Structures are given as C-alpha cells and as structure tokens.
Amino acid sequence: MTAVDADLAPSFEHAAFFYGDDAHYVDAVVAFVEEGVERGEPVLVAVPEVRLRLLRDRLSRHLPQVRLAAMDDMGANPAWIIPEWLDFVETHLRAGRTSRGVGEPIWASRTPEELVECQRHEELLNLALQDAPGFRLLCPYDTRALPDDVLTTARRSHPHHGAPALCTNPEFSSTIAPRLDTPLPAVPPWAQRASFAGTADIAPVRQLVIDAAALGGMAQARLGDLAVAVSEALANSVSHGGGRGQLDYWRADDRFVCEVRDRGVIDDPLAGRIRPHIEQPDGRGLWLIHQLCDLVQVRALPGGHQAVRLHVRY
Amino acid sequence: MLRAFFEAGLAADQRLANVLPPTGGHCVAELLDGLCDVQTLLDRNQLVLDAADAYVVDGTFDGGARVRSYREATQRALDDGFSGYRVFNDVGWLLPTVDVRSWRAHEVRADLVTATEPLVVLCGYGSQTVDGCSFDDTVTVHGQTWCDDTGHVRRVRLGGTADGAIAVTGELDAAHAEEVGEILDAVIDEADAVVDLAALDFVDGAGAEALFHVAHDRNATLRNAPQLLARIWTVLGFDEVHPLEASEGAVR
C-alpha cells in the first residue's frame, strides 16, 4: 500500500450505528456518506434492498463516487462480504485514496444460522481490515427489529460507534470470539452418511451427494456448485484433515446440506475469506467452498475434530 | 480377447502386427491359427511379426522413434493397399525400464496418432509385470480400454481427437489433477497445442489449476470448456490473467 495520503490516515474504524426509525437512519447514513464525498472519498453503501430504497433519492446524485449495493445479494452468504470490502478498499488505496463504507449485514429475516455467521463476519472484519488505513465502516443495526442479544453482541464487536461522527466504543471487547464452538443444529435423522479415506474416495462420495441432490430436483448449475464444494471439502480432509473423514448429507427445506467431519484444524480465522493469489500453492479450497455455497459453517468439535457444513439452495 | 482384436482387423482388411516382449508372449500367428490361413497372411504381408527391440534403441526407450514408426508403418500399410495398420504391443515388461513420466507422455502422443490416422494400437499391460506405474495410470493415457472386467474404474483419461487435439475426458479432480497436469506438460511440445474439454464431465479447483497452467504457461488453447470450468475460472481469478475466450467457453 503505497498511498501517500493513506500513510497519514488513522487506522481502520469499524462502527456500530443503532437506529430506531427510518428518518434517523437516512439522516445519519446520508451525513456519514456526504462527509466522505466532501473529502473526495469513494463510498460503498451495501445495505438491504429495503433500506437502499430509503437512501436512493438522497444519494443518487453522488453516483458514481458513491456506489450502492444490495446487501441481500452482495452478502447473501456473509462470507462474501469481507472480500468485497477488501477489493473496494485496496483498489482505492492503490490510487492513494482513503475510502468509507456503510455495511448492514444483519436484518431481522436472517435465519438463526446466517445470523451466527454474520456475527462472526463482523468480528472478522476487525482482523481482515486492520491494515486498511483511513477506511471507515459504518454498520447500521435496526433496534426495532433485532433482538437484544444481537444488539449486545454488536456493541461488543465494534471498536467504534455512533453516526455520522464515529467515537471509540467503551463496550468493545477486543478478543475475537471465533464462534468455532457455537453448536450447530443437530444432523437430522434422515441424513445419509458416507465415510471416505484417500483421494480415490473423493469421486464416488461426491457422486452420492450429486445423485441425492439431483433426485430432489436440483438444477444443473447448482449441482455443479454443490459437486465442486463437496469435492473441495473432501479433498481438504484428505490433505489436511488426517486423510479421512465422514460426510453427512440431507435435504433441509429449500437447501441441500453437507457436513464433512475430520481431524483437521483451520487455524487461520480468515481462511476462505481472502481472495487467493493466482500463484499461491494452496488455500483455494475454502475460498471455492465459500464462493459456491449459500452458507458455510466451520466448527471445532470436541476431541480435536472439525466440521465444515455447507448449504446450497435448490 | 486378442483373437477378437485381430479378427476385427482382418474384417477391415488392415495390416496386422504384434510386438512381443523378449520373454515371449501371445503370438498373433498362434492366435489366428485355425481362424484363417496364417501362411497366406504372411505371404501377402498382411501379417507382420515385429520385434520387441523396435521399442528400444541403443538400450534406451525412444518414444519419439516409436511414434514415428507408427506413422511410417501406417503409411506403408496404406501404400500396400491395406485399409490401415493394427498392432498389438505387449508393453508391460517395458515399464520397469522407462521413466514413468515420459512413458505416459509417449502413450498420449501415440493416442494422438491413432486418432488422426487409420492406426489401431492395443497396448498389453500384463498386470503382473507392471512396476512403478499402476494399472490405473496406464488407463489414464489411453483413449479406450479393451480389457477383462478388472474392476478398475478410471475417471479421467487423456487421448487424441480426430483433428489432433488432446482430449481430457471424465472427471478431473484433486485425485488426478497433478498427474494429468504433468502428462499434459510433457505432451505439449508445440506452441499451438489444443486441449479439448468437450467431454470433461467434472472439474474441481485442483483440476482447474492444472488446466490454467497448461493454458497460461504452455500457451495451449483450451477448447469447449464446460460451464463449470468457466465458473471456477472466474471464482479463482484465473480469468484476470488468462480469460477463457468465448469460443473456448462453449456452454453446455
């Protein structure tokens, strides 16, 4: 990062902003964005489509310096969000410009499982963007719709708070809770199970999953995503998880779910969230899994085991 | 099985040949005895009893010479009025003496000749004699298999296409990506090599990476790339340094 201005800029500021009505939301977000516009900063606003509708009238005159994105798409899988912020921040840092963003990854209709991954995402942002000088990120939380425990967690995971001016947050807890021990919902009794050992088992086990998902009517393109994601998870177990493992797979409503368990440990909390460099020898597996799936849950299990549960919508 | 192989050649009016290991083996003359008049075949030069040392020049296996000799023998067969050249090579005995990597590359090159010329080669790998190169490895580098039901399932294969491209067919995943990448690297010796992926049924990140190196580092053209490869190509950022061209990314 060679930007001259950026060298002088303060470190990354990650702020929670709690709002209780739409007018407050619009006024504070617009003021935060326009402060950036006046400083010549590019701004990316990624909030749910319903919130975007409130902001469009006030912000569209700042296009293209201000970019608007629907978080429902950009962050449908919460693991997709950090790479987007990194791309945005680094592109502008290379041009010597600091930048700012508004990111609202949590809304009331997130499923409980998505919510946990969103909270993990908020904590990982502090790590992923710690080397992004001058980047200010405002994360709005709707106090009308979100439960108290979600708001409490947000107070602890953001080093800053307030809007439009950001202040140091005394409630911030600097330890990153990796949430690798949050229990996963039980594997349902109708799940099917397969064991695997060695690379020779990858293809036949993958085929079991594909056959089951196809039987449930999954479209061809999604079957391809599922096949690659499962294959990568199995290959990870074979290469880094003790050479063998167990796979459970089942249908849950509109999703097909696979859980791979092995003796591996993913020690980099950002694994799969940093775009792999073209020449790097490995580390593409989890990236592919995250990118191809709608939700991925990585958990440390008792006894030195690990689970990677992936969800692909039909 | 061998008898059926040669019978098919007789029916197609091809010249027949076989290459025996130094230790002896199935001789085509014996196989055909009783089926037809072997002496007549020998007299009219339709049956050629080759020698194993055709494979070894000055004590060293020379794949290039072998492929050239396939081409020349096929041309001679055509010049002599036959419809093509059909040869059985008992090759398993050779494997302990050759470098496995160059052997696999040789087999793919041979397959390229069979795909473009009226040449049929059956390579006999006695499973007892193979060393340093598994039976599955040998299946990978042959466009087709003609064997007893051995229970071996090979999910990826390399072979030639009628227009001289190298076809990668089946499922290219982490189990074989490195191996296939090495073989392709050894086989590709021309700047305008084409790798045909029309029958690539599955590819994962490791497979895509192997193909990326073939395309980017060896300048091979990837043809008929399946949609799944295009998707992985984009997710892994390969398209930023080496786009799959529109003609290469045919949708299927």
Side-chain angles (χ1 to χ4, degrees):
Chain A
M1 298 181 190
T2 56
V4 177
D5 288 350
D7 283 347
L8 302 171
S11 55
F12 170 50
E13 292 177 321
H14 181 206
F17 158 53
F18 300 94
Y19 64 95
D21 63 69
D22 289 352
H24 182 205
Y25 178 82
V26 172
D27 287 346
V29 168
V30 168
F32 175 78
V33 169
E34 290 187 337
E35 184 185 82
V37 169
E38 279 161 28
R39 292 165 172 235
E41 290 177 335
V43 188
L44 171 56
V45 178
V47 297
E49 178 59 39
V50 289
R51 297 269 165 275
L52 222 43
R53 275 181 224 140
L54 301 173
L55 297 170
R56 253 193 205 102
D57 278 354
R58 299 271 298 273
L59 293 180
S60 51
R61 66 196 179 95
H62 299 303
L63 302 176
Q65 188 180 347
V66 174
R67 206 176 102 205
L68 304 177
M71 192 56 112
D72 326 46
D73 300 327
M74 181 179 126
N77 174 347
W80 297 345
I81 307 172
I82 283 177
E84 292 286 343
W85 286 127
L86 284 174
D87 284 352
F88 173 72
V89 170
E90 284 171 2
T91 298
H92 296 300
L93 273 180
R94 275 197 294 273
R97 281 196 304 268
T98 59
S99 55
R100 63 175 63 197
V102 179
E104 189 171 354
I106 295 181
W107 52 88
S109 61
R110 283 284 204 189
T111 67
E113 291 181 81
E114 286 174 358
L115 182 63
V116 172
E117 300 311 310
C118 285
Q119 291 174 322
R120 180 165 151 76
H121 152 76
E122 284 279 40
E123 282 158 359
L124 290 174
L125 270 171
N126 296 325
L127 187 63
L129 287 158
Q130 62 182 352
D131 295 324
F135 180 53
R136 291 184 180 85
L137 178 61
L138 188 71
C139 304
Y141 281 79
D142 187 345
T143 57
R144 297 165 300 186
L146 296 171
D148 285 346
D149 62 318
V150 172
L151 301 174
T152 303
T153 303
R155 279 190 193 92
R156 292 195 184 129
S157 60
H158 289 76
H160 296 79
H161 67 169
L166 311 187
C167 315
T168 302
N169 174 16
E171 292 178 75
F172 172 60
S173 161
S174 61
T175 48
I176 290 180
R179 292 176 193 283
L180 291 179
D181 51 358
T182 308
L184 289 171
V187 174
W190 63 86
Q192 293 175 276
R193 176 165 293 183
S195 295
F196 58 94
T199 55
D201 281 352
I202 293 176
V205 171
R206 172 177 70 229
Q207 196 60 49
L208 293 174
V209 171
I210 298 318
D211 291 346
L215 204 62
M218 186 174 280
Q220 198 60 37
R222 294 262 65 194
L223 276 178
D225 290 346
L226 176 65
V228 175
V230 168
S231 217
E232 295 294 337
L234 296 170
N236 267 354
S237 293
V238 170
S239 303
H240 311 294
R244 58 178 60 237
Q246 218 170 39
L247 170 81
D248 287 334
Y249 54 102
W250 67 95
R251 184 173 183 160
D253 302 324
D254 62 338
R255 293 163 296 136
F256 196 87
V257 187
C258 299
E259 178 175 302
V260 176
R261 291 181 301 276
D262 59 37
R263 300 196 69 88
V265 177
I266 296 175
D267 43 17
D268 177 6
L270 290 171
R273 283 177 164 83
I274 307 289
R275 196 178 294 283
H277 187 267
I278 212 96
E279 294 295 341
Q280 76 183 49
D282 52 17
R284 296 195 174 93
L286 260 184
W287 171 261
L288 268 170
I289 292 170
H290 276 302
Q291 291 295 313
L292 299 177
C293 295
D294 295 296
L295 190 71
V296 180
Q297 299 157 298
V298 178
R299 294 294 183 273
L301 305 175
H305 289 74
Q306 165 184 270
V308 175
R309 189 181 284 194
L310 47 93
H311 302 241
V312 174
R313 267 186 233 287
Y314 273 83
Chain B
M1 215 167 53
L2 274 179
R3 190 174 283 139
F5 175 73
F6 284 116
E7 272 186 290
L10 280 179
D13 197 29
Q14 293 164 335
R15 174 170 284 163
L16 313 179
N18 79 326
V19 180
L20 292 175
T23 50
H26 299 296
C27 177
V28 60
E30 294 163 18
L31 289 169
L32 294 177
D33 199 25
L35 275 178
C36 56
D37 184 350
V38 173
Q39 194 53 51
T40 306
L41 292 182
L42 288 168
D43 289 347
R44 61 186 288 242
N45 236 345
Q46 187 169 5
L47 183 57
V48 180
L49 302 178
D50 206 342
D53 57 15
Y55 256 109
V56 182
V57 179
D58 294 334
T60 312
F61 169 69
D62 184 341
R66 192 64 212 164
V67 169
R68 276 194 300 280
S69 82
Y70 278 149
R71 287 190 193 280
E72 289 161 9
T74 306
Q75 191 55 51
R76 276 199 304 276
L78 293 175
D79 291 345
D80 293 346
F82 297 104
S83 72
Y85 186 61
R86 172 176 289 248
V87 58
F88 169 68
N89 292 338
D90 200 342
V91 293
W93 66 275
L94 258 173
L95 291 176
T97 71
V98 297
D99 168 53
V100 170
R101 289 182 64 172
S102 59
W103 175 260
R104 294 186 306 203
H106 158 70
E107 287 286 32
V108 175
R109 287 199 192 95
D111 206 78
L112 280 163
V113 182
T114 65
T116 50
E117 306 209 10
L119 166 70
V120 182
V121 184
L122 183 64
C123 300
Y125 286 83
S127 56
Q128 301 304 309
T129 61
V130 176
D131 189 18
C133 187
S134 75
F135 181 86
D136 285 348
D137 285 336
T138 66
V139 176
T140 297
V141 291
H142 291 77
Q144 299 170 53
T145 321
W146 187 341
C147 64
D148 294 324
D149 182 11
T150 56
H152 290 269
V153 177
R154 196 52 171 177
R155 291 180 177 266
V156 63
R157 275 169 187 268
L158 297 172
T161 69
D163 63 353
I166 305 161
V168 182
T169 63
E171 302 180 15
L172 182 57
D173 66 14
H176 304 296
E178 192 177 338
E179 167 197 352
V180 167
E182 281 176 5
I183 297 171
L184 286 172
D185 192 61
V187 173
I188 292 169
D189 49 12
E190 295 150 22
D192 54 353
V194 175
V195 176
D196 190 291
L197 304 174
L200 184 65
D201 299 321
F202 176 78
V203 62
D204 70 354
E209 187 186 346
L211 294 172
F212 171 75
H213 285 298
V214 163
H216 190 62
D217 302 337
R218 301 305 307 276
N219 276 325
T221 300
L222 301 184
R223 185 172 73 185
N224 297 323
Q227 198 61 19
L228 188 59
L229 179 65
R231 173 128 165 89
I232 298 173
W233 209 260
T234 306
V235 170
L236 292 181
F238 293 163
D239 56 333
E240 285 166 29
V241 290
H242 193 102
L244 280 176
E245 289 164 24
S247 59
E248 299 174 34
V251 176
R252 56 176 178 93

